[in-house]
């Protein structure tokens, strides 16, 4: 788009574009898509890294174009490094990262791996050393302090009392074959950590 074309767009949407240029230029927004396919058996959640949306949440316009690919770590039993799409807003000039739902920004392990660690620690009563999830790259097994940090992000209690009670209830719920869903996200052991981050009744931290 040349400068003349930018001027014509600015004339059409002056408040919206000027605000984007002043406040949002240079920032990156992480967008985490969620699809019903993520809960289907055998679906590779990393495949959603190919998706891109055209609608910009800041400019409120269909202004996003493709801006290449990036790689990040997302370790679990099926993944190590994954690729995901990047987008560029033609109006606000900010970039967007379209991450799969099970890989949070700036993290090295997928939510599938985190959920496995939760189950081993609080349901199977493993030690912290034995609660590490199975990962594709054997050199990337998380240490006990990392597992504690994951759990602390869900429960601020030093004794993890909320997590123990909640996971006990979830174990009973899943054993009864009842289905609990939040939008397109269905509760299961692979989606456990992701589900808790969505529906937990108090603010969560990374």
């Amino acid at each position: 788009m040349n400068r003349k074309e930018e001027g014509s767009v600015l004339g059409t949407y002056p408040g919206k574009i000027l605000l984007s240029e002043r406040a949002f230029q240079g920032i990156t927004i992480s967008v985490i898509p969620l699809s019903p396919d993520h809960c289907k058996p055998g679906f590779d959640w990393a495949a959603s890294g190919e998706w891109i949306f055209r609608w910009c949440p800041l400019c409120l316009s269909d202004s996003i174009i493709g801006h290449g690919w990036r790689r990040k770590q997302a370790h679990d039993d099926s993944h190590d490094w994954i690729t995901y799409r990047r987008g560029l807003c033609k109006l606000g000039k900010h970039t967007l990262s379209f991450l799969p739902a099970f890989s949070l920004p700036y993290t090295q392990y997928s939510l599938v791996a985190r959920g496995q660690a939760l189950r081993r620690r609080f349901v199977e009563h493993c030690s912290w050393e034995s609660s590490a999830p199975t990962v594709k790259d054997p050199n990337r097994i998380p240490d006990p302090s990392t597992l504690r940090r994951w759990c602390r992000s869900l429960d601020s209690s030093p004794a993890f009392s909320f997590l123990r009670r909640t996971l006990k209830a979830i174990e009973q719920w899943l054993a009864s074959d009842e289905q609990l869903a939040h939008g397109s996200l269905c509760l299961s052991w692979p989606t456990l950590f992701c589900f808790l981050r969505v529906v937990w009744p108090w603010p969560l931290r990374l």
Side-chain angles (χ1 to χ4, degrees):
M1 177 181 291
N2 60 38
R3 196 64 204 172
K4 181 177 181 181
E5 290 173 330
E6 288 182 348
S8 64
V9 175
L10 284 170
T12 306
Y13 305 103
K16 183 187 303 181
I17 307 307
L18 289 177
L19 177 62
S20 297
E21 287 188 337
R22 289 197 308 268
F24 303 126
Q25 190 168 359
I27 69 171
T28 300
I29 307 166
S30 294
V31 179
I32 303 179
L34 192 59
S35 165
D37 290 338
H38 289 150
C39 299
K40 293 180 179 178
F43 178 78
D44 184 5
W45 57 262
S48 63
E50 299 178 1
W51 298 349
I52 186 171
F53 300 108
R54 303 299 176 183
W55 186 79
C56 177
L58 294 182
C59 296
L60 306 181
S61 301
D62 292 328
S63 54
I64 297 175
I65 59 175
H67 193 52
W69 294 79
R70 295 293 188 276
R71 298 178 73 238
K72 74 180 296 289
Q73 297 182 74
H75 298 285
D76 57 29
D77 57 354
S78 302
H79 308 92
D80 45 19
W81 287 79
I82 63 171
T83 58
Y84 63 93
R85 293 289 302 276
R86 293 263 285 189
L88 174 67
C89 176
K90 297 184 294 183
L91 304 181
K93 305 302 182 185
H94 43 267
T95 58
L96 296 93
S97 296
F98 295 93
L99 295 174
F102 288 89
S103 184
L104 299 178
Y106 311 113
T107 60
Q108 298 180 4
Y109 295 87
S110 78
L111 295 184
V112 176
R114 296 185 184 209
Q116 188 181 55
L118 281 177
R119 183 179 185 180
R120 289 180 173 177
R121 175 59 181 169
F122 295 104
V123 177
E124 299 175 4
H125 307 292
C126 296
S127 66
W128 285 111
E129 289 74 14
S130 301
S131 298
T134 304
V135 292
K136 185 177 180 180
D137 183 351
N139 296 318
R140 296 297 304 179
I141 298 176
D143 57 34
S145 63
T146 299
L147 305 184
R148 291 189 182 94
R149 177 169 52 82
W150 292 350
C151 297
R152 191 73 65 208
S153 72
L154 294 172
D155 190 348
S156 59
S157 169
F160 298 113
S161 57
F162 293 110
L163 273 179
R164 294 183 193 280
R165 293 198 299 267
T166 299
L167 292 180
K168 183 177 181 179
I170 288 176
E171 181 185 22
Q172 296 173 350
W173 187 286
L174 292 176
S176 68
D177 292 329
E178 295 185 57
Q179 188 175 46
L180 180 62
H182 180 81
S184 61
L185 181 64
C186 296
L187 177 62
S188 66
W189 289 120
T191 66
L192 173 63
F193 203 99
C194 188
F195 199 93
L196 289 178
R197 291 195 63 87
V198 173
V199 304
W200 207 239
W202 52 80
L204 303 178
R205 301 176 299 277
L206 288 177

